[in-house]
Amino acid sequence: FIFASSIISILIAIMKKKIYDINILFALGAKNKLIYCVFLWYSLIYITFGIIFGTSIGLLISSYFHKIIQNIEKFLNTKFLSSNIYFIDFIPIKVIYSDIFYIVLLVFSLVIVCSSYSILKIIHKNSIKSILS
């Protein structure tokens, strides 16, 4: 959800910067559907790269998590989960690929729905402004 909200805020910022371009497209006779498709492609590109990079970095970190923690413990000269204090002295990690698929699908659908709403909101706002002008 944090990822989806950051993508949505990036898209809203891009759309606010592009309001001048949207008004030019309206003046040239572009329909709402064209503007909607352009910004939906923007959101699809951002979310595709975000999902690819985020999932790959997350899987990479989870596969080497024990080595990363060992290096941090060596660097700080301390033990995070001492076997004298805790029952386990490691953090158990199990990657379930079906869960990753469902999370990616949920984030993808959430961003598409939210970006569609924000796109339609800006298009409606600009079409009203162009009608009143």
Side-chain angles (χ1 to χ4, degrees):
F1 291 114
I2 294 171
F3 169 74
S5 64
S6 66
I7 293 292
I8 291 167
S9 64
I10 288 170
L11 287 172
I12 289 173
I14 287 171
M15 284 184 237
K16 284 185 179 179
K17 286 183 180 179
K18 301 282 183 176
I19 285 178
Y20 181 72
D21 297 335
I22 291 172
N23 288 333
I24 289 175
L25 288 173
F26 273 130
L28 293 174
K31 302 292 182 197
N32 289 343
K33 188 174 181 179
L34 173 70
I35 296 169
Y36 176 78
C37 289
V38 167
F39 284 106
L40 193 62
W41 274 109
Y42 272 145
S43 64
L44 286 174
I45 289 170
Y46 281 120
I47 190 153
T48 303
F49 284 121
I51 284 175
I52 289 170
F53 290 130
T55 305
S56 60
I57 289 171
L59 288 173
L60 187 67
I61 288 174
S62 65
S63 64
Y64 292 109
F65 189 74
H66 297 296
K67 292 180 182 179
I68 293 170
I69 292 297
Q70 287 174 354
N71 288 335
I72 292 173
E73 286 176 347
K74 284 179 187 176
F75 179 73
L76 296 176
N77 199 15
T78 186
K79 185 94 168 133
F80 291 135
L81 297 174
S82 176
S83 60
N84 298 337
I85 300 171
Y86 298 106
F87 178 67
I88 56 173
D89 60 348
F90 63 95
I91 297 175
I93 295 176
K94 181 179 179 183
V95 177
I96 302 171
Y97 291 102
S98 62
D99 289 347
I100 293 172
F101 174 74
Y102 292 134
I103 290 170
V104 165
L105 188 66
L106 176 73
V107 168
F108 188 80
S109 61
L110 183 68
V111 169
I112 293 299
V113 167
C114 292
S115 65
S116 296
Y117 173 73
S118 60
I119 292 167
L120 289 175
K121 187 176 169 184
I122 287 181
I123 287 174
H124 180 70
K125 185 185 208 181
N126 282 336
S127 62
I128 289 173
K129 282 183 182 178
S130 64
I131 290 171
L132 293 176
S133 302

